[in-house]
């Protein structure tokens, strides 16, 4: 079946890659609409994990927008109708009332419910195309309650929970363990744990591990592993790895370069599947992350830049 993912316009490239990674399908992009072929059971199980997708819909039909009225008149609406319906067209250039009339007239026992419809029908436009869909999931998520300053232990460099959730999806993991070797106060581990994944974190600072333990427990997570360890001295193979690498604004560039080189070199022989590494980009002269990763033998699957604030952006690399 074909499904339409309505992507957030914050970063469409990032949103598209998140869906592609989780559903293992390239899809076709129409503006911020990503048309993907997938199994319904996959959509039902995994779509709720997405961070940069606003909603997911099953495609009923696609047509030229000037033929939309004809398609509405001929479609078998009884085949998808349950209890009541609503029709929404985000672009109001086409009359909802007229098209709703076709649905109403074709149903055996029609009933409209605009507030909480059982059958939520949407029409999306992209240039001359119209996509008629039935909504499966509205992916409004409460990331605000997990912002760093809302946790028992705040840390100023903690990754935004929405971005952290996306980074986990970029490794394409559906089950298994997510490892963060620079776990800090536990922001990435928190999102992975809430997604039902197993989580394991390392940090060289015992105080940060205690903060991570408190934060994870505060949000109801009980099963996690936290260990004091040096990320440049990994000892065991890792399937899936996500880390936001440390960056002290007062730390010397040479010290950071040495840390990054040592860590990347150590990760290569231990990574079995996929990793997401997040680096800072706040200096005029930047460490050439992509070149170093490739030189160490990694394949760069995706790379992105995400604006954080006026003095900091993040360079994100998905590697294998």
């Amino acid at each position: 079946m074909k499904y339409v993912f309505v992507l957030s316009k914050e970063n469409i490239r990032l949103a598209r890659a998140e869906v592609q990674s989780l559903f293992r399908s390239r899809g076709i992009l129409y503006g911020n609409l990503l048309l993907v072929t997938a199994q319904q059971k996959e959509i039902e199980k995994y779509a709720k994990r997405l961070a940069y997708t606003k909603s997911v819909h099953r495609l009923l039909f696609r047509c030229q927008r000037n033929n939309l009225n004809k398609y509405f008149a001929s479609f078998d609406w009884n085949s998808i109708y349950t209890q009541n319906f609503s029709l929404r067209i985000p672009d109001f250039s086409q009359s909802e009332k007229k098209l709703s009339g076709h649905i109403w007239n074709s149903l055996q026992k029609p009933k409209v419910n605009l507030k909480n419809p059982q059958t939520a029908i949407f029409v999306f436009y992209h240039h001359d195309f119209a996509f008629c869909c039935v909504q499966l999931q509205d992916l409004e998520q409460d990331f605000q309650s997990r912002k760093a300053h809302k946790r028992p232990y705040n840390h100023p460099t903690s990754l935004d929970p929405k971005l952290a959730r996306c980074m986990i999806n970029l490794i394409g993991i559906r089950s298994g363990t997510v490892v963060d070797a620079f776990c800090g106060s536990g922001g990435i581990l928190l999102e992975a744990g809430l997604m039902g994944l197993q989580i394991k974190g390392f940090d060289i600072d015992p105080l940060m591990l205690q903060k991570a333990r408190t934060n994870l427990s505060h949000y109801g997570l009980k099963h996690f592993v936290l260990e004091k360890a040096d990320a440049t001295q990994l000892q065991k193979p890792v399937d899936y790895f996500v880390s936001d690498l440390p960056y002290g604004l007062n730390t010397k560039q040479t010290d950071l370069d040495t840390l990054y080189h040592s860590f990347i070199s150590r990760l290569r022989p231990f990574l079995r599947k996929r990793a997401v590494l997040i680096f800072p980009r706040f200096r005029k002269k930047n460490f050439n992350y992509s070149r170093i990763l490739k030189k160490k033998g990694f394949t760069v699957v995706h790379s992105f830049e995400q604006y954080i604030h006026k003095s900091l952006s993040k360079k994100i690399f998905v590697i294998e």
Side-chain angles (χ1 to χ4, degrees):
M1 282 188 181
K2 293 189 182 297
Y3 298 88
V4 174
F5 292 74
V6 181
L7 307 180
S8 168
K9 294 181 180 179
E10 296 170 66
N11 190 326
I12 289 179
R13 283 190 65 241
L14 195 60
R16 180 184 188 180
E18 183 187 17
V19 175
Q20 289 173 335
S21 299
L22 191 55
F23 290 96
R24 298 157 191 179
S25 174
R26 288 192 59 79
I28 303 172
L29 190 65
Y30 300 88
N32 72 316
L33 306 176
L34 184 62
L35 184 61
V36 169
T37 300
Q39 299 293 324
Q40 184 168 336
K41 62 182 180 181
E42 292 182 314
I43 299 294
E44 292 172 351
K45 189 171 183 178
Y46 300 116
K48 59 190 174 186
R49 292 184 177 184
L50 294 167
Y52 284 88
T53 296
K54 298 171 71 175
S55 56
V56 183
H57 308 253
R58 178 162 62 87
L59 180 68
L60 301 178
F61 58 82
R62 176 179 51 173
C63 64
Q64 294 288 323
R65 59 192 298 171
N66 57 5
N67 289 329
L68 188 60
N69 193 59
K70 181 175 70 175
Y71 272 76
F72 258 73
S74 62
F75 187 78
D76 179 12
W77 295 105
N78 283 290
S79 66
I80 60 117
Y81 176 75
T82 304
Q83 295 184 17
N84 52 60
F85 79 94
S86 70
L87 172 64
R88 287 288 179 259
I89 306 176
D91 180 347
F92 286 96
S93 63
Q94 186 84 23
S95 169
E96 289 180 353
K97 185 176 181 179
K98 182 178 181 180
L99 293 175
S100 293
H102 289 304
I103 302 173
W104 180 275
N105 293 332
S106 71
L107 295 175
Q108 295 174 359
K109 295 182 179 180
K111 185 178 180 181
V112 171
N113 186 332
L114 299 180
K115 291 186 177 181
N116 188 30
Q118 293 296 307
T119 310
I121 300 163
F122 282 78
V123 174
F124 301 104
Y125 292 129
H126 178 68
H127 299 317
D128 293 331
F129 284 109
F131 299 82
C132 182
C133 314
V134 59
Q135 187 179 76
L136 300 181
Q137 295 187 34
D138 184 351
L139 300 180
E140 291 268 343
Q141 301 219 38
D142 184 21
F143 291 112
Q144 285 296 324
S145 67
R146 301 194 297 277
K147 290 271 191 179
H149 66 281
K150 298 286 186 69
R151 302 172 197 159
Y153 284 104
N154 182 15
H155 194 277
T157 65
S158 186
L159 205 61
D160 180 86
K162 187 174 184 178
L163 184 58
R165 173 71 61 106
C166 179
M167 297 304 98
I168 296 158
N169 287 324
L170 284 174
I171 57 177
I173 185 172
R174 290 182 171 181
S175 62
T177 302
V178 174
V179 176
D180 183 357
F182 299 92
C183 72
S185 58
I188 290 172
L189 297 179
L190 173 60
E191 293 304 310
L194 293 174
M195 291 163 68
L197 300 168
Q198 298 173 56
I199 52 177
K200 187 173 186 177
F202 304 123
D203 204 283
I204 202 167
D205 184 349
L207 179 58
M208 294 306 296
L209 291 172
Q210 182 56 48
K211 290 181 178 181
R213 186 172 291 107
T214 301
N215 285 338
L216 295 174
S217 298
H218 176 76
Y219 288 93
L221 298 180
K222 298 178 180 179
H223 304 291
F224 50 83
V225 177
L226 296 173
E227 295 179 2
K228 182 179 182 299
D230 184 344
T232 65
Q233 300 296 321
L234 289 174
Q235 299 295 327
K236 296 180 180 179
V238 175
D239 285 338
Y240 296 106
F241 191 99
V242 182
S243 275
D244 183 18
L245 274 71
Y247 60 92
L249 290 174
N250 297 319
T251 305
K252 293 181 180 179
Q253 180 71 56
T254 53
D255 293 339
L256 288 179
D257 289 354
T258 299
L259 173 63
Y260 298 162
H261 268 289
S262 299
F263 168 66
I264 292 170
S265 297
R266 191 68 179 180
L267 179 62
R268 175 60 280 179
F270 289 101
L271 181 65
R272 292 194 291 206
K273 292 184 179 178
R274 182 175 277 197
V276 171
L277 302 183
I278 309 164
F279 299 93
R281 183 175 182 179
F282 50 73
R283 292 176 169 88
K284 292 182 179 179
K285 293 183 178 180
N286 286 286
F287 184 90
N288 193 324
Y289 305 117
S290 181
R291 186 176 65 189
I292 297 300
L293 288 167
K294 292 175 182 178
K295 187 175 180 180
K296 297 297 183 182
F298 288 105
T299 298
V300 177
V301 180
H302 298 290
S303 63
F304 308 94
E305 183 162 332
Q306 178 76 354
Y307 174 84
I308 305 299
H309 51 70
K310 64 180 181 180
S311 59
L312 175 65
S313 291
K314 297 280 190 176
K315 293 288 291 185
I316 300 164
F317 292 90
V318 183
I319 58 174
E320 295 176 343

